């Protein structure tokens, strides 16, 4: 329309300048939109879509670096959570596959399968770590059952005479504490027949 209205060379140049400015402005808007979508897809982890927004080598490099960083993040998460399947899926390097083997051992240890963990341990160091975890778990269960007064179960976790003697001493002390508490209670409430059944010394009998 403007081309039909100009009458001088000056006016013709003005129309051409306006058309050129409009085209340039449109190109800038499209480039800004491309960059914004590139950023959006990278942040969303939509790397296939991000690649479609790439134009320059720097764009492709940025997408590949972001994708690799996310892979490493997911791989580390899987390892930290003993997720063998996911860790295997995201492993790429020899070091990462070696770490997956350790995760396999750790996963069995976490389930209390120490025999299975020892079978798949690749190194003496890994096997020693499994044994250390097994020993720690044994002592933890021994102390738990001893503290709960379940002495027969505690004895199943004892491995030597010293541990068995410690369990017996704990049981004796616990029984003595309970005897004294009941002796005091029955004496206080005047149930002397029941109190006499708990007396073990002349001093207690006189009291």
């Amino acid at each position: 329309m403007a081309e039909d209205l100009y009458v001088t060379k000056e006016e013709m140049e003005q129309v051409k300048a306006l058309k050129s400015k409009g085209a340039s402005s449109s190109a800038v808007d499209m480039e800004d939109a491309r960059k914004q979508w590139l950023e959006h897809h990278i942040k969303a982890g939509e790397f296939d879509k991000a690649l479609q927004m790439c134009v320059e080598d720097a764009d492709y490099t940025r997408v590949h670096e972001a994708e690799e960083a996310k892979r490493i993040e997911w791989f580390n998460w899987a390892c930290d959570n003993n997720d063998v399947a996911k860790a295997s899926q995201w492993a790429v390097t020899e070091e990462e596959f070696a770490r997956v083997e350790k995760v396999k051992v750790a996963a069995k240890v976490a389930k209390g399968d120490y025999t299975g963990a020892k079978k798949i341990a690749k190194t003496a160091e890994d096997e020693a770590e499994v044994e250390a975890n097994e020993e720690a778990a044994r002592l933890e269960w021994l102390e738990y059952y001893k503290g709960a007064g379940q002495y027969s179960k505690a004895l199943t976790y004892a491995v030597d005479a010293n541990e068995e003697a410690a369990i017996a001493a704990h049981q004796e002390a616990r029984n003595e504490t309970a005897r004294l508490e009941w002796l005091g209670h029955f004496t206080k409430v005047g149930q002397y027949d029941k109190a006499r059944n708990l007396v073990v010394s002349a001093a207690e009998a006189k009291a």
Side-chain angles (χ1 to χ4, degrees):
M1 182 69 178
E3 293 90 335
D4 297 333
L5 296 177
Y6 67 78
V7 292
T8 68
K9 185 177 180 180
E10 182 180 348
E11 290 173 341
M12 180 180 69
E13 293 301 327
Q14 289 177 349
V15 170
K16 289 181 178 179
L18 288 171
K19 289 175 66 177
S20 176
K21 183 178 180 181
S24 176
S25 177
S26 177
V28 170
D29 290 343
M30 290 182 64
E31 177 63 7
D32 286 344
R34 181 190 72 80
K35 290 180 178 179
Q36 289 176 12
W37 277 109
L38 177 62
E39 290 294 328
H40 169 77
H41 291 314
I42 289 176
K43 289 180 179 179
E46 300 170 341
F47 301 112
D48 289 340
K49 292 182 179 179
L51 287 172
Q52 295 174 16
M53 296 292 107
C54 292
V55 173
E56 302 174 350
D57 289 343
D59 295 333
Y60 288 101
T61 299
R62 187 148 180 274
V63 173
H64 291 315
E65 288 178 349
E67 186 173 15
E68 175 64 4
K70 183 60 67 173
R71 182 194 68 80
I72 293 173
E73 180 184 338
W74 287 333
F75 172 75
N76 288 331
W77 179 91
C79 290
D80 292 342
N81 288 275
N82 293 331
D83 190 328
V84 176
K86 291 289 178 62
S88 300
Q89 177 184 347
W90 294 113
V92 172
T93 66
E94 290 184 7
E95 291 80 4
E96 288 173 346
F97 281 112
R99 187 178 174 189
V100 171
E101 293 304 314
K102 291 182 178 293
V103 171
K104 291 178 181 178
V105 175
K108 288 188 176 296
V109 168
K111 295 178 180 179
D113 182 7
Y114 301 105
T115 300
K118 290 176 186 177
K119 286 181 179 179
I120 64 173
K122 297 294 185 181
T123 66
E125 180 183 357
D126 289 342
E127 188 170 352
E129 186 174 350
V130 173
E131 291 176 349
N133 278 280
E134 184 177 20
E135 175 64 4
R138 180 188 73 80
L139 292 173
E140 183 177 349
W141 281 112
L142 186 153
E143 291 300 322
Y144 169 79
Y145 286 121
K146 186 173 70 173
Q150 299 183 43
Y151 298 106
S152 58
K153 287 187 176 180
L155 284 169
T156 64
Y157 288 93
V159 295
D160 57 38
N162 290 332
E163 289 182 344
E164 291 175 355
I167 292 171
H170 190 279
Q171 183 176 14
E172 183 178 349
R174 187 187 186 99
N175 290 341
E176 178 62 7
T177 298
R179 184 187 72 81
L180 292 173
E181 288 177 351
W182 281 110
L183 176 61
H185 169 73
F186 289 134
T187 301
K188 183 177 180 179
V189 299
Q191 297 184 28
Y192 300 112
D193 289 339
K194 291 183 177 180
R196 290 191 190 94
N197 292 331
L198 296 174
V199 169
V200 297
S201 68
E204 287 180 349
K206 290 180 180 180

